[in-house]
Amino acid sequence: MKDATAMKRRGLPQAVDLLVIGGTGAGVSLALEAAGKGLSVFLTSSRPYLGEDICGDLRLWPQSADRPRGVLSRRVFGTGDRPVTPMTVKRELEQSLVEAGIPFILNAFPARPLRGEEGLVKGCQLATRSGYLEVRTRLVVDATTEGTLARICGYTGRPDWRGRQRVRHVTLCNGEGETAAGADAVTRLEGFEGRIGDRDYALSARLYELDVDFGGGSPAELARAEAEIVDRCWVPGEYLHQERICPAVGRPSGEAATRFEELVRHEGMVLLAPDAYAEPGEREALQEPVSCLEAGPLLLPQIEAIIGTRPLPTGKEVRLPQEEAPLLGRCDVLVLGGGTAGAPAAIAASRQGARVMIVEATDQLGGVGTIGQICRYWCGNRVGFTSEIDASVASLETDARLRTNVGQWSATAKSRWFEHSCHEGGVITFHRSLSPGVLRKGDRITGLEVATPHGFGRIDCGCLVDASGCADVPAAAGAPVVETGASHLAVQGTGLAALEPGRDYHNTDHNFCDDTDVIDTTAFLVSTKLKFPDHFDAGQLVDTRERRQIIGDLQLGPADFLSERRYPDTICVASSNFDSHGFTVHPVFMCQPPDKKRLWADVPFRALLPRGLERVLTTGLGVSAHRDALPVIRMQADVQNQGYAAGCAAARSALTDTDLRNLSMRDLQEHLQEVGILPERCLSEEDSFPVPLEDLEWAATEALETLKGLAMLFANPERSCPILLEALRTATPPRRLSLARVLALMGDASGLAEIRAAVAENGWDEGWNYRGMGQFGMSLSEMDVLLIALGQIGEVADWSLICEKAESLPDDPAFSHCRAVVEASEALHARHPDSSAAVALSRLHRRLPGGAAQTSLTAVQEALTPDPNENGVRNRSLRELHLARGLYRCGDPGGVGRSLLETYARDQRAVFARHAQRVLRESQPVEAP
């Protein structure tokens, strides 16, 4: 996404008449009105939804039921005066843009203005997890709640967050709830009652007012004040609270109010942020939910007048300021991501005496176990810091069942414990913020560039914990990382929780989504609101199970866990099974599929250290590990302990100015053993690899059909091959076939005759279609594996076998059979080009239904089903894209493969788009005669 061409190819504009920064009601209303008059419009929101002023501020109660309403306000609020659910607001605002054909993205912050030669704002550089995006425009409208871009440009109007200020804070509680004792005033609001499925729910609502000291009003002091507000207003049973700081009442300024015309004259932009207007009447008009949804028709004449005088700038007319990003704060330990690993890392570092800051994209700490709504452990080693979390959270529960059932919890109680523990330890949390770039000196990471609701800047640190789950920091720093690319399309399935009061466990798997891709996450967040339309609210955190990983000082693989490898630098012991949520690619699992058996896996410190970088640890799903190994170490209980260990190490590095690789591992391990994370054995162990020769002989002769034996062999192929060849020399069928298959997957052709005969003599067996949730066991059939093995070692004469198998597939073949034919053809064609491969694949492709690509948000929505664990849509796309790739790599007569890949290169789903793009970068094989 750093590539502007790739951005445009997948549907994002680079130049428009009107750029609306902010997904407030007024911003959406203006975008719709402008598009209706023929202007090209692009809208961005820093939140994972639209309507941040209504939903984020919990202004869900219309105050103008007695007057006529416009189309948009009627669509959201109807004609009554009853409160509406956040889901209704978000879904209707987003769908209004979709239906109007207005492009928009979520989770994007203004970073720097783009200025023309005369100094006026001619566009904006946007900060996203994809990096920086640039959009040029004839006019920028700042419709953020805080006036973020205007403040970046130097605007210093209201609210002036300094000294003591009175603020409002709205909370929703299950049932009647309690009233917080920490507020100065409270007003009961009309509550919510409803039914979702077979569940009734009731929520009470309270509006608090309280005085808070904001000190000097710096971003760090605003973050501290926000934590204080949440802390003072929290009560047991809270379900939802207002996301941000809001003034209690509008207050006139002693200075002249900054007006529409003044900003246009001085900066060339328009400000619609409700908080930035000083006069009470102006502010209330933009804050009252019905009024803000009707702002577009009133504002458009002035907008059109400005746009009419300005040409659309070209790239040459726009320049970026070169000055350094302003300093937002300094700390010893900076944690990117306050989720399952990040919140524990911050708490651990603060307990070590470090000054700690967190940059967190959502408004809650805890990640998938809180705002992600997966509030139950699957597996995991529930010791050490995790046991402290569990006991502490249980004491906050109002439900007696949750107080005693350790291993299950309510999202708000767990989030509350993380928030309170961080606040109590002096941790500063920048909520609703993200980092698009890193700061480094040589190989040392020194801080982050950070986009926050209150402006863009940098945070300097002594050591950094990358708990983004996606290795965001190493990737931005240019360190080597691993992500789904040209080699395969295997990725664990993704879910997104809808929110139901009274229910805290929503574990779904209905799509693929790449957290780091702004187009993908926008499409996923928006479309899922249609999937669960009747729920109270929509999830804000994409529950991905597999993300981008670092290449660390040591890379973990399935063989390490299956063979119970030990290390001298173990920092936690994880426990789970191969809960794959999809298909596997490691050769061990081609020979013997993973089962449900629970394993115990040591995690070494070196797997958290990105190769080539210092003063940064990567924890959680971003650790250095083969994708098929991740399920064993990604359970919440284990990631919490891993995050604690990372926080301890980061604090020790920062406080002693010691590089992470030079820390005393013994001292760190002793502390982790004291808090119960490590067993005592880890203090005296050495690396158990390489596997002793006698163990390899045992694996080849007695354990060839077991996962442990295969793991040992594939972990040491150079030493294993001679042993396997000797065993093949004396073996009898069917053992010869098993040995031949293992050798073939290692690239040795000594058993080619056995593989060839097995393929020729047997027909197709039962294949496998994609399955996410609950997938254990095989994802390739016996014949699939034999075909792949044949492709690895086959000769020209074997084309007839592979093509015959492709031709004999039924009209609706299983995905695994298509995958096997494609992988076999690709491997053999790379060594022995032959036109028959493309002919066979082309005939197979013509027999399949096409059109599975999703190149627009509308196409994503058209493919939706109500199934929370949908598999069919993904299966069709996987099958079609595999065949497109196989055609392209095998000569591609007629260009069918290229055409399909070019279509998928525009797919909204980043996994498919990236795979297609990277395959297209390869040199296309020449069709053989």
Side-chain angles (χ1 to χ4, degrees), residues 470-539:
C470 301
D472 282 353
V473 173
V481 293
V482 177
E483 59 188 355
T484 305
S487 58
H488 64 76
L489 263 171
V491 62
Q492 293 198 45
T494 304
L496 182 67
L499 275 63
E500 298 178 36
R503 180 182 173 191
D504 287 287
Y505 181 73
H506 297 78
N507 195 1
T508 63
D509 181 343
H510 50 82
N511 210 327
F512 299 139
C513 185
D514 182 345
D515 308 58
T516 68
D517 186 278
V518 66
I519 295 177
D520 195 352
T521 53
T522 296
F524 191 63
L525 288 161
V526 171
S527 60
T528 303
K529 296 184 184 79
L530 293 183
K531 195 175 184 73
F532 307 114
D534 299 326
H535 286 66
F536 182 80
D537 199 359

Side-chain angles (χ1 to χ4, degrees), residues 21-249:
I21 305 288
T24 56
V28 173
S29 176
L30 176 60
L32 289 167
E33 194 70 17
K37 293 297 180 67
L39 297 175
S40 59
V41 183
F42 182 38
L43 183 142
T44 73
S45 172
S46 63
R47 305 298 297 123
Y49 58 85
L50 298 184
E52 53 256 42
D53 54 333
I54 301 173
C55 299
D57 296 355
L58 292 183
R59 299 182 188 274
L60 303 169
W61 293 263
Q63 299 168 16
S64 307
D66 58 343
R67 68 175 176 82
R69 297 182 182 176
V71 174
L72 186 59
S73 59
R74 285 200 309 273
R75 179 168 180 166
V76 173
F77 284 101
T79 58
D81 59 356
R82 300 295 305 278
V84 297
T85 65
M87 175 69 93
T88 299
V89 178
K90 297 172 182 178
R91 184 186 65 243
E92 295 305 320
L93 291 183
E94 290 167 3
Q95 288 308 117
S96 69
L97 295 187
V98 174
E99 293 162 12
I102 299 174
F104 65 97
I105 55 173
L106 306 175
N107 297 322
F109 287 76
R112 297 180 179 93
L114 303 175
R115 298 183 185 273
E117 294 301 324
E118 73 282 15
L120 296 181
V121 175
K122 292 295 185 70
C124 188
Q125 184 186 61
L126 301 170
T128 76
R129 289 189 69 183
S130 305
Y132 292 104
L133 311 178
E134 295 178 12
V135 181
R136 303 188 306 278
T137 182
R138 293 161 73 182
L139 180 65
V140 175
V141 172
D142 183 346
T144 62
T145 48
E146 291 89 353
T148 307
L149 181 58
R151 294 179 186 280
I152 291 171
C153 291
Y155 168 69
T156 57
R158 288 289 190 181
D160 185 5
W161 292 117
R162 288 182 293 183
R164 294 196 69 80
Q165 302 274 353
R166 195 164 185 82
V167 300
R168 73 185 287 276
H169 188 74
V170 178
T171 67
L172 304 181
C173 289
N174 288 298
E176 281 300 306
E178 300 178 16
T179 299
D184 304 319
V186 60
T187 302
R188 288 293 294 265
L189 304 174
E190 181 181 355
F192 294 83
E193 291 184 353
R195 185 176 181 83
I196 301 173
D198 59 353
R199 293 171 177 263
D200 293 318
Y201 70 85
L203 296 173
S204 57
R206 291 168 175 81
L207 168 62
Y208 296 106
E209 292 191 12
L210 57 161
D211 290 330
V212 179
D213 186 357
F214 289 87
S218 69
E221 287 169 307
L222 287 173
R224 178 203 54 76
E226 183 178 318
E228 178 188 335
I229 294 166
V230 173
D231 220 28
R232 286 170 60 180
C233 295
W234 186 86
V235 295
E238 180 185 279
Y239 176 68
L240 195 64
H241 65 252
Q242 180 177 308
E243 291 183 4
R244 68 184 192 100
I245 303 170
C246 291
V249 293

Side-chain angles (χ1 to χ4, degrees), residues 875-902:
N875 193 74
R876 289 190 291 275
S877 294
L878 285 166
R879 190 168 62 177
E880 183 175 52
L881 187 48
H882 270 78
L883 284 168
R885 188 190 75 199
L887 277 167
Y888 182 78
R889 287 176 172 170
C890 293
D892 199 17
V896 174
R898 172 182 283 278
S899 178
L900 275 170
L901 288 171
E902 288 174 343

Side-chain angles (χ1 to χ4, degrees), residues 447-646:
L448 296 176
E449 291 183 325
V450 178
T452 80
H454 303 288
F456 176 81
R458 75 179 199 276
I459 299 176
D460 296 339
C461 65
C463 191
L464 196 147
V465 177
D466 179 359
S468 65
C470 301
D472 282 353
V473 173
V481 293
V482 177
E483 59 188 355
T484 305
S487 58
H488 64 76
L489 263 171
V491 62
Q492 293 198 45
T494 304
L496 182 67
L499 275 63
E500 298 178 36
R503 180 182 173 191
D504 287 287
Y505 181 73
H506 297 78
N507 195 1
T508 63
D509 181 343
H510 50 82
N511 210 327
F512 299 139
C513 185
D514 182 345
D515 308 58
T516 68
D517 186 278
V518 66
I519 295 177
D520 195 352
T521 53
T522 296
F524 191 63
L525 288 161
V526 171
S527 60
T528 303
K529 296 184 184 79
L530 293 183
K531 195 175 184 73
F532 307 114
D534 299 326
H535 286 66
F536 182 80
D537 199 359
Q540 297 186 30
L541 181 72
V542 177
D543 289 326
T544 46
R545 298 174 173 88
E546 179 180 348
R547 306 175 186 171
R548 180 170 56 199
Q549 298 102 38
I550 63 169
I551 296 178
D553 289 2
L554 183 147
Q555 191 169 23
L556 299 170
D560 298 308
F561 303 152
L562 289 167
S563 58
E564 301 174 359
R565 184 175 178 180
R566 298 289 185 253
Y567 311 91
D569 57 338
T570 298
I571 55 166
C572 72
V573 179
S575 180
S576 185
N577 49 28
F578 289 102
D579 183 18
S580 65
H581 282 266
F583 60 96
T584 53
V585 295
H586 197 282
V588 166
F589 297 137
M590 291 185 180
C591 296
Q592 184 71 30
D595 54 32
K596 245 183 173 179
K597 180 182 178 182
R598 186 168 178 173
L599 303 173
W600 297 85
D602 289 5
V603 179
F605 187 62
R606 285 167 290 166
L608 279 62
L609 301 178
R611 189 179 297 172
L613 295 178
E614 246 308 335
R615 300 296 178 100
V616 58
L617 301 111
T618 298
T619 186
L621 290 180
V623 299
S624 180
H626 186 279
R627 59 144 337 251
D628 286 350
L630 277 174
V632 180
I633 60 174
R634 67 167 174 79
M635 296 297 124
Q636 290 186 59
D638 299 321
V639 172
Q640 288 166 172
N641 281 332
Q642 186 191 113
Y644 181 95

Side-chain angles (χ1 to χ4, degrees), residues 25-27 29-30 33 272 285-286 290-301:
S29 176
L30 176 60
E33 194 70 17
L272 295 184
L286 286 171
V290 172
S291 297
C292 74
L293 294 173
E294 298 178 353
L298 301 175
L299 295 167
L300 187 61

